[in-house]
Amino acid sequence: MKNKIIIILLFAAISSHGQTPLSLDSILARIENAHPRLKTADARVRELDTYSKGAITMPAPQVGGGFWMTPYNPARWREGMGAFMVTGEQMFPNRNMQRAEQRYMGAMSGMEVAERGVMQNMLFAEAKAAYFKWLVLGKKIAVLDESKKALRLLIESAEQRYQFNREKLGSVYKGKTELAELDRMQAMYTGEIRQQRAMLNTLMQRDPATGFDIDTTGWRVPIIPLLPDTSRIAARSDFRTIEQSLRVARLEQEWQRSKLKPEYGLRFDHMFAFGGTPWQFSLMGMATMPLAPWANKDVKARIEGIDYRLAAFEWQKADLVNQIRGNLADRLVMMQTLQEQIDSYERDIIPNQRKRFQSTLLAWEQNTDELFMTLDAWLELKMSRLSQLDLLQQLLQARTDYEKELEQR
């Protein structure tokens, strides 16, 4: 078992050797620049922007040609009856309608930008959770290393005492059992670190087996923030998505209203008359009549329906604000509670248990206490330090969830 653990640790050391530690900011920057979901959103934004450029255009002209008022009997053509006609027609669109459509199409890309922010916020939260879990696991391994050093010294001393009948063999085996348990826990934590490394590599679009370490220099426990005002909530991407949806709906309504205005066209016909008859032409203007009641029912229905959509978006905004404020308040209470427990471990529990361990160790060295009592004190101290780190993990996760609610990088 011990040989397997050593091989695992050597493999982890070799795989990460020579790699520059990555800070959280550098990891987030790589995700922002390389993740396919964000690249897809960028391409979608450019697509919609390109569509809006083609909104202002002229309809294709229509041309035609053929016989006009021509007898079926070709012999009558010599008498000047009939003609061959060519025709051309061009409609002139309503520029106000096209500009309204262009604004509507341009606003659609704004929705994609806001939705991209939502997606990026989710990816950043996943990366932070993996990063902080890795960080805490590293601290747990450091605690186990320190505990193993102390336990080995106890075992060596107990084995020497056993040779002189000053210690029981069961106490020695208990110490060795606890040492094997520490090796097991360390192997488990090392495996979990590999899992977090693979997750971060995947988010950064790298080979999951790529070795690297995280940079923890300058890291400290985050300060508990205050409940933000509504203006911070309004900066969230999902909130801006609703705002952009409102804008898109209003522009769509404006575009639909512009369809109630007429469009104009021009038609020119030229006749090549037969039998020496003078050539003739016709020039006609045209206009659509969208104000006719039988021609605009669908447009008016869309305009009215958009009013209900706008009202729904307003209610959705109000619900989102209330939900976010509730989530933030819940995370703040959780962080405060966790921080109080961490402080209690740091201020009272761990110092007292360390003193108890030192006192039982001194009593054992003076042959006034048994090794079992010293091992129990050592075990309680180790478990308390690991429990404190579990609380730290929960605090960092709560902070990550809090920053996710506010889209803080």
Side-chain angles (χ1 to χ4, degrees):
M1 178 66 183
K2 185 179 295 184
N3 291 336
K4 291 182 179 179
I5 295 172
I6 292 174
I7 292 173
I8 292 173
L9 294 177
L10 286 175
F11 176 77
I14 293 172
S15 63
S16 61
H17 180 71
Q19 298 288 336
T20 302
L22 296 180
S23 65
L24 179 59
D25 288 338
S26 63
I27 291 173
L28 298 182
R30 294 188 183 204
I31 294 174
E32 184 177 9
N33 294 328
H35 202 280
R37 296 184 196 171
L38 302 181
K39 292 290 187 181
T40 301
D42 291 337
R44 178 64 176 163
V45 169
R46 290 192 292 270
E47 175 193 359
L48 293 175
D49 286 339
T50 303
Y51 289 160
S52 66
K53 294 178 182 178
I56 297 181
T57 184
M58 287 282 289
Q62 298 183 27
V63 296
F67 293 100
W68 180 78
M69 298 183 67
T70 304
Y72 285 100
N73 184 1
R76 308 294 298 272
W77 298 1
R78 299 187 186 91
E79 301 175 5
M81 299 182 66
F84 184 84
M85 182 177 69
V86 292
T87 181
E89 182 178 328
Q90 176 68 61
M91 293 296 298
F92 300 97
N94 185 331
R95 288 296 182 186
N96 291 331
M97 182 179 68
Q98 289 191 332
R99 293 190 185 97
E101 182 181 5
Q102 185 180 47
R103 289 191 294 269
Y104 168 69
M105 294 297 297
M108 293 292 291
S109 66
M111 288 185 60
E112 290 292 332
V113 172
E115 291 176 359
R116 181 192 186 279
V118 175
M119 191 180 306
Q120 177 176 287
N121 186 42
M122 295 176 61
L123 294 173
F124 281 4
E126 291 179 20
K128 288 179 183 179
Y131 176 89
F132 288 132
K133 189 172 183 179
W134 185 346
L135 185 147
V136 174
L137 287 169
K139 292 181 177 296
K140 286 184 175 181
I141 290 177
V143 170
L144 295 182
D145 286 335
E146 185 179 339
S147 299
K148 286 166 68 174
K149 291 178 182 178
L151 186 56
R152 287 194 185 100
L153 293 175
L154 285 175
I155 294 173
E156 291 176 3
S157 179
E159 289 176 337
Q160 293 175 0
R161 285 170 174 257
Y162 173 72
Q163 295 176 0
F164 298 98
N165 294 323
R166 296 172 57 190
E167 187 58 67
K168 298 178 180 178
L169 187 60
S171 299
V172 176
Y173 286 140
K174 178 176 174 60
K176 290 184 177 181
T177 301
E178 293 295 340
L179 184 61
E181 176 65 16
L182 291 180
D183 290 336
R184 183 198 67 80
M185 294 177 65
Q186 196 167 38
M188 179 182 66
Y189 293 153
T190 303
E192 291 181 7
I193 286 178
R194 291 202 301 271
Q195 291 177 349
Q196 307 313 311
R197 181 186 289 117
M199 180 178 296
L200 289 174
N201 275 326
T202 302
L203 289 171
M204 291 186 290
Q205 298 304 296
R206 307 197 307 182
D207 185 351
T210 302
F212 73 96
D213 289 322
I214 57 173
D215 184 8
T216 59
T217 57
W219 181 87
R220 59 182 180 178
V221 178
I223 300 174
I224 305 300
L226 299 176
L227 189 66
D229 55 19
T230 309
S231 61
R232 293 287 301 276
I233 298 175
R236 278 182 39 143
S237 293
D238 52 358
F239 193 89
R240 288 188 287 113
T241 299
I242 300 176
E243 289 282 357
Q244 192 67 20
S245 298
L246 276 167
R247 180 169 178 264
V248 168
R250 294 190 183 101
L251 290 173
E252 183 182 0
Q253 196 174 50
E254 179 183 342
W255 177 33
Q256 294 296 332
R257 286 197 182 98
S258 67
K259 293 181 179 180
L260 297 176
K261 297 180 180 180
E263 292 183 308
Y264 301 96
L266 190 65
R267 174 171 177 166
F268 176 77
D269 300 322
H270 180 76
M271 282 72 72
F272 298 93
F274 298 141
T277 305
W279 292 354
Q280 303 176 30
F281 77 93
S282 68
L283 181 64
M284 301 181 64
M286 297 171 291
T288 60
M289 300 296 294
L291 291 177
W294 60 85
N296 58 22
K297 289 183 178 180
D298 59 334
V299 175
K300 289 184 176 180
R302 290 177 182 273
I303 293 173
E304 183 180 358
I306 291 174
D307 286 332
Y308 294 108
R309 193 197 309 174
L310 292 171
F313 283 141
E314 292 292 348
W315 285 111
Q316 188 176 353
K317 281 173 51 180
D319 176 67
L320 183 60
V321 170
N322 184 61
Q323 179 182 350
I324 294 172
R325 290 186 66 85
N327 291 340
L328 290 173
D330 177 71
R331 298 296 184 275
L332 284 176
V333 172
M334 182 183 298
M335 284 189 286
Q336 292 167 357
T337 303
L338 291 170
Q339 186 63 62
E340 290 173 0
Q341 296 181 65
I342 292 173
D343 293 341
S344 178
Y345 270 102
E346 191 70 25
R347 183 182 60 251
D348 300 321
I349 299 175
I350 292 179
N352 290 332
Q353 289 184 339
R354 185 173 282 113
K355 291 177 182 178
R356 177 175 179 265
F357 171 64
Q358 292 171 351
S359 64
T360 55
L361 179 61
L362 180 62
W364 176 63
E365 290 175 348
Q366 295 175 352
N367 296 321
T368 60
D369 209 342
E370 295 185 355
L371 180 59
F372 273 101
M373 299 299 294
T374 304
L375 290 175
D376 287 340
W378 167 87
L379 181 61
E380 288 183 2
L381 176 59
K382 180 204 69 173
M383 295 305 297
S384 293
R385 295 179 68 185
L386 293 178
S387 297
Q388 185 189 32
L389 290 175
D390 287 335
L391 292 173
L392 177 61
Q393 172 64 48
Q394 296 177 39
L395 174 62
L396 293 174
Q397 184 60 51
R399 180 59 187 248
T400 299
D401 294 338
Y402 177 88
E403 292 177 350
K404 181 181 178 182
E405 292 290 336
L406 290 179
E407 288 195 5
Q408 290 182 358
R409 180 158 182 166

